[in-house]
Short mmCIF file of all heavy atoms in Angstrom, two decimals:
data_model
loop_
_atom_site.label_atom_id
_atom_site.label_comp_id
_atom_site.label_asym_id
_atom_site.label_seq_id
_atom_site.Cartn_x
_atom_site.Cartn_y
_atom_site.Cartn_z
N VAL A 72 -168.32 -15.19 71.55
CA VAL A 72 -169.22 -16.25 71.08
C VAL A 72 -169.37 -17.27 72.21
O VAL A 72 -168.60 -17.26 73.17
CB VAL A 72 -168.67 -16.94 69.81
CG1 VAL A 72 -168.72 -16.00 68.61
CG2 VAL A 72 -167.25 -17.46 70.01
N HIS A 73 -170.38 -18.19 72.07
CA HIS A 73 -170.57 -19.17 73.15
C HIS A 73 -169.90 -20.50 72.88
O HIS A 73 -169.78 -21.33 73.76
CB HIS A 73 -172.06 -19.36 73.47
CG HIS A 73 -172.88 -19.83 72.31
ND1 HIS A 73 -172.80 -21.11 71.81
CD2 HIS A 73 -173.79 -19.18 71.55
CE1 HIS A 73 -173.64 -21.22 70.79
NE2 HIS A 73 -174.25 -20.07 70.60
N SER A 74 -169.46 -20.71 71.61
CA SER A 74 -168.86 -22.02 71.31
C SER A 74 -167.98 -21.92 70.07
O SER A 74 -168.10 -20.98 69.27
CB SER A 74 -169.97 -23.03 71.04
OG SER A 74 -170.72 -22.61 69.90
N LEU A 75 -167.12 -22.92 69.91
CA LEU A 75 -166.28 -22.99 68.71
C LEU A 75 -167.15 -23.13 67.46
O LEU A 75 -166.85 -22.57 66.41
CB LEU A 75 -165.36 -24.20 68.79
CG LEU A 75 -163.95 -23.97 69.31
CD1 LEU A 75 -163.18 -25.28 69.32
CD2 LEU A 75 -163.20 -22.95 68.46
N ASP A 76 -168.23 -23.87 67.62
CA ASP A 76 -169.16 -24.08 66.51
C ASP A 76 -169.71 -22.75 65.99
O ASP A 76 -169.76 -22.52 64.79
CB ASP A 76 -170.34 -24.91 67.05
CG ASP A 76 -170.53 -26.13 66.20
OD1 ASP A 76 -169.53 -26.56 65.58
OD2 ASP A 76 -171.67 -26.64 66.16
N GLN A 77 -170.13 -21.90 66.94
CA GLN A 77 -170.68 -20.60 66.55
C GLN A 77 -169.59 -19.76 65.87
O GLN A 77 -169.86 -19.03 64.92
CB GLN A 77 -171.21 -19.86 67.79
CG GLN A 77 -172.00 -18.60 67.45
CD GLN A 77 -172.23 -17.68 68.65
OE1 GLN A 77 -171.61 -17.85 69.70
NE2 GLN A 77 -173.11 -16.72 68.49
N LEU A 78 -168.34 -19.91 66.33
CA LEU A 78 -167.24 -19.11 65.81
C LEU A 78 -166.98 -19.38 64.33
O LEU A 78 -166.56 -18.49 63.59
CB LEU A 78 -165.98 -19.41 66.65
CG LEU A 78 -164.71 -18.70 66.23
CD1 LEU A 78 -164.86 -17.19 66.41
CD2 LEU A 78 -163.52 -19.19 67.06
N LEU A 79 -167.24 -20.62 63.90
CA LEU A 79 -166.88 -21.03 62.54
C LEU A 79 -167.46 -20.12 61.45
O LEU A 79 -166.87 -19.98 60.39
CB LEU A 79 -167.30 -22.48 62.29
CG LEU A 79 -166.56 -23.51 63.16
CD1 LEU A 79 -167.07 -24.91 62.93
CD2 LEU A 79 -165.05 -23.41 62.92
N ASP A 80 -168.59 -19.49 61.72
CA ASP A 80 -169.18 -18.58 60.73
C ASP A 80 -168.42 -17.26 60.61
O ASP A 80 -168.58 -16.55 59.62
CB ASP A 80 -170.62 -18.22 61.13
CG ASP A 80 -171.57 -19.38 60.92
OD1 ASP A 80 -171.22 -20.29 60.14
OD2 ASP A 80 -172.65 -19.36 61.54
N PHE A 81 -167.66 -16.92 61.62
CA PHE A 81 -167.12 -15.56 61.68
C PHE A 81 -165.61 -15.47 61.42
O PHE A 81 -165.06 -14.37 61.39
CB PHE A 81 -167.49 -14.92 63.02
CG PHE A 81 -168.96 -15.04 63.30
CD1 PHE A 81 -169.43 -15.76 64.39
CD2 PHE A 81 -169.87 -14.50 62.41
CE1 PHE A 81 -170.79 -15.90 64.62
CE2 PHE A 81 -171.24 -14.65 62.62
CZ PHE A 81 -171.70 -15.35 63.73
N VAL A 82 -164.96 -16.61 61.29
CA VAL A 82 -163.54 -16.62 60.93
C VAL A 82 -163.36 -17.55 59.73
O VAL A 82 -164.18 -18.45 59.51
CB VAL A 82 -162.64 -17.09 62.11
CG1 VAL A 82 -162.78 -16.14 63.29
CG2 VAL A 82 -162.98 -18.51 62.54
N THR A 83 -162.29 -17.32 58.96
CA THR A 83 -162.10 -18.18 57.77
C THR A 83 -161.17 -19.34 58.09
O THR A 83 -161.07 -20.29 57.33
CB THR A 83 -161.50 -17.37 56.60
OG1 THR A 83 -160.28 -16.77 57.05
CG2 THR A 83 -162.47 -16.30 56.12
N GLU A 84 -160.47 -19.23 59.22
CA GLU A 84 -159.50 -20.27 59.54
C GLU A 84 -159.25 -20.29 61.04
O GLU A 84 -159.20 -19.23 61.66
CB GLU A 84 -158.20 -19.90 58.81
CG GLU A 84 -157.20 -21.00 58.72
CD GLU A 84 -155.80 -20.45 58.46
OE1 GLU A 84 -155.68 -19.33 57.90
OE2 GLU A 84 -154.84 -21.13 58.84
N ILE A 85 -159.10 -21.50 61.59
CA ILE A 85 -158.64 -21.60 62.98
C ILE A 85 -157.34 -22.43 62.93
O ILE A 85 -157.39 -23.65 62.82
CB ILE A 85 -159.68 -22.26 63.91
CG1 ILE A 85 -161.03 -21.54 63.79
CG2 ILE A 85 -159.18 -22.24 65.36
CD1 ILE A 85 -162.12 -22.09 64.71
N PRO A 86 -156.18 -21.74 62.95
CA PRO A 86 -154.92 -22.47 62.85
C PRO A 86 -154.77 -23.51 63.97
O PRO A 86 -155.40 -23.37 65.03
CB PRO A 86 -153.84 -21.38 62.99
CG PRO A 86 -154.55 -20.08 62.84
CD PRO A 86 -155.99 -20.30 63.17
N ALA A 87 -153.91 -24.51 63.73
CA ALA A 87 -153.74 -25.61 64.69
C ALA A 87 -153.37 -25.08 66.08
O ALA A 87 -153.90 -25.54 67.10
CB ALA A 87 -152.66 -26.56 64.17
N LEU A 88 -152.50 -24.07 66.10
CA LEU A 88 -152.07 -23.49 67.38
C LEU A 88 -153.28 -22.92 68.15
O LEU A 88 -153.41 -23.08 69.36
CB LEU A 88 -151.08 -22.36 67.05
CG LEU A 88 -150.00 -22.02 68.05
CD1 LEU A 88 -149.22 -23.25 68.45
CD2 LEU A 88 -149.05 -20.98 67.42
N ALA A 89 -154.16 -22.26 67.41
CA ALA A 89 -155.34 -21.64 68.02
C ALA A 89 -156.28 -22.73 68.55
O ALA A 89 -156.86 -22.58 69.63
CB ALA A 89 -156.06 -20.77 67.00
#
Side-chain angles (χ1 to χ4, degrees):
V72 291
H73 59 72
S74 62
L75 264 180
D76 234 26
Q77 190 194 12
L78 179 64
L79 295 177
D80 287 340
F81 309 118
V82 298
T83 56
E84 195 201 336
I85 307 182
L88 209 52

